[in-house]
Amino acid sequence: MRTPSYASLDDALESVALYGIELKNGNSNHAPMVAEALCVLGRPEAVVRWMARYRERMLPRPAASARIRPEDWRTALGERPRFADWSAFFGEELQAAPWRQVLDRWMERLAPGFCAAATHGVIRVGHAARGLADSETPPRLRELADALASWAATYQELPATGAQPKSGMTPREAIARVPIVPPGRRNNTGNITVSLAALGSFAEFAPVIGLIDTTTDLAPLVAELTEVFARVYLANAHDIRSTIAFIHGVTSPAALGNIAPLVGDRTARAALRYAWQSGCGLYACFGGETAMVEEIEPPKADADELVERAIAHGDEHVIKFTEVCLHRHSLDPSPVYTAAVNHVRGMIPQR
């Protein structure tokens, strides 16, 4: 696979800054995330072409309405129309302190809302932080402010008992213990966020957050979490809606993997509990009786070929999922990643 190149990222982020967090169809704006992913894949030249096609789907950036004061930030959580206010707030935070310090502080504060906007908040922060770790530039600092703002403005918590794990289960062991919402009780009329909100009336879900032991070595635990949810994806992605849901079950813990080296251990471990909870929430709302696949036959195509196929396909989820799976495969090889990349192109229409 090619060496990452961020040659086009700053120009792309300058362009993206003109737009908000939603597309015309109400879904999340993926432009800054795809731009960073293509750079990581070593295809900076593909960013401009992809953005030119995607731009017509984006909405203009809204104007700020009222300043969010540091002492009142909690009252503005989850207020989607205040994205621009949140962005201005985080811009001030990043002027007052180093970006890693700001990231650590707000990762800890926002972690209980890990599932915000179907996990798009933390995913965007993961891309922004990785770009900043490569080079600290004004467009990348602004993108971190926007990424944190998107998380805060869409903040959503899932029900949790707060219990600490007693069994010491690993994610692979614990996934079979996650209760799934009976089909007749699921909310299939809205988006993923609406479906997750229905967990509030599914009392069996609340203890899930305490199923796994988060005291073991952090990097292997993030690796196992991501690999398990890639197996959940292969077992349960059977149409466009479930495919997109389970893509986020993989890309959100992978985003945590990008953020974890940049924040303190306590912050990363706290976020990991909510990463597990969010992935389980997606499984509970969209999954079937088989939690994850065991036997996997990976495709014969190499990484570069899989990347080219994703770019040719053009869908934002396909490109981002391909980057995440190949990146995690390079760190912790597993046949599930290349199999998932090969699978996703057949589940989402080509752009």
Side-chain angles (χ1 to χ4, degrees):
M1 202 160 73
R2 295 186 192 177
T3 302
S5 171
Y6 283 94
S8 61
L9 182 60
D10 284 359
D11 287 343
L13 294 179
E14 290 279 12
S15 174
V16 169
L18 301 173
Y19 300 93
I21 58 173
E22 292 182 344
L23 301 177
K24 293 176 181 178
N25 63 3
N27 292 334
S28 295
N29 179 3
H30 288 69
M33 299 178 272
V34 172
E36 197 272 342
L38 287 170
C39 289
V40 170
L41 290 170
R43 267 64 171 191
E45 73 285 351
V47 173
V48 174
R49 295 195 304 271
W50 185 87
M51 289 280 291
R53 296 193 302 270
Y54 195 75
R55 187 170 288 110
E56 66 179 18
R57 299 165 59 191
M58 296 192 285
L59 289 171
R61 186 185 188 91
S65 57
R67 185 174 183 270
I68 296 173
R69 297 183 298 178
E71 63 272 22
D72 294 332
W73 63 268
R74 287 181 178 84
T75 63
L77 284 176
E79 295 190 7
R80 186 181 286 263
R82 300 196 68 184
F83 162 69
D85 296 338
W86 273 111
S87 181
F89 173 85
F90 285 117
E92 293 175 1
E93 291 274 296
L94 289 165
Q95 289 179 356
W99 68 266
R100 293 194 188 202
Q101 182 178 324
V102 173
L103 178 64
D104 186 276
R105 179 190 311 134
W106 284 95
M107 183 74 180
E108 184 175 23
R109 289 176 175 178
L110 296 174
F114 200 93
C115 73
T119 72
H120 281 114
V122 69
I123 293 170
R124 184 167 178 178
V125 169
H127 284 284
R130 185 167 58 177
L132 268 171
D134 172 78
S135 180
E136 184 175 327
T137 68
R140 298 184 201 188
L141 284 169
R142 183 175 58 220
E143 170 55 20
L144 180 58
D146 281 353
L148 289 167
S150 72
W151 191 349
T154 60
Y155 186 87
Q156 177 187 12
E157 294 185 15
L158 298 180
T161 61
Q164 293 300 313
K166 298 179 181 179
S167 61
M169 284 191 290
T170 66
R172 177 179 281 271
E173 295 166 337
I175 192 67
R177 300 277 297 274
V178 176
I180 61 173
V181 180
R185 294 177 59 185
R186 296 183 182 185
N187 189 337
N188 296 318
T189 60
N191 57 25
I192 295 172
T193 299
V194 172
S195 295
L196 289 172
L199 290 172
S201 60
F202 184 56
E204 296 93 326
F205 180 78
V208 163
I209 194 170
L211 286 179
I212 64 169
D213 181 3
T214 60
T215 63
T216 59
D217 289 346
L218 187 63
L221 191 53
V222 171
E224 182 178 356
L225 200 67
T226 309
E227 205 254 4
V228 162
F229 282 118
R231 291 180 179 274
V232 171
Y233 164 87
L234 281 178
N236 293 279
H238 56 80
D239 57 21
I240 293 177
R241 195 163 185 260
S242 59
T243 295
I244 292 176
F246 289 116
I247 283 173
H248 297 147
V250 179
T251 54
S252 56
L256 175 59
N258 293 336
I259 297 168
L262 306 173
V263 298
D265 184 76
R266 186 184 73 173
T267 297
R269 288 186 188 279
L272 191 140
R273 294 181 73 235
Y274 293 106
W276 159 255
Q277 182 201 39
S278 293
C280 291
L282 294 168
Y283 174 55
C285 291
F286 295 93
E289 294 182 359
T290 301
M292 62 181 193
V293 297
E294 295 292 347
E295 299 297 325
I296 299 169
E297 184 171 345
K300 296 180 180 179
D302 63 17
D304 284 327
E305 187 174 351
L306 292 172
V307 171
E308 292 303 328
R309 291 176 183 176
I311 293 173
H313 185 283
D315 180 81
E316 58 266 44
H317 296 95
V318 171
I319 293 172
K320 289 168 64 268
F321 192 55
T322 297
E323 183 274 311
V324 162
C325 286
L326 294 181
H327 177 64
R328 294 309 312 181
H329 182 67
S330 71
L331 298 175
D332 304 284
S334 169
V336 69
Y337 291 122
T338 50
V341 167
N342 207 44
H343 177 273
V344 73
R345 293 193 311 277
M347 301 305 296
I348 297 178
Q350 185 171 353
R351 288 287 180 183

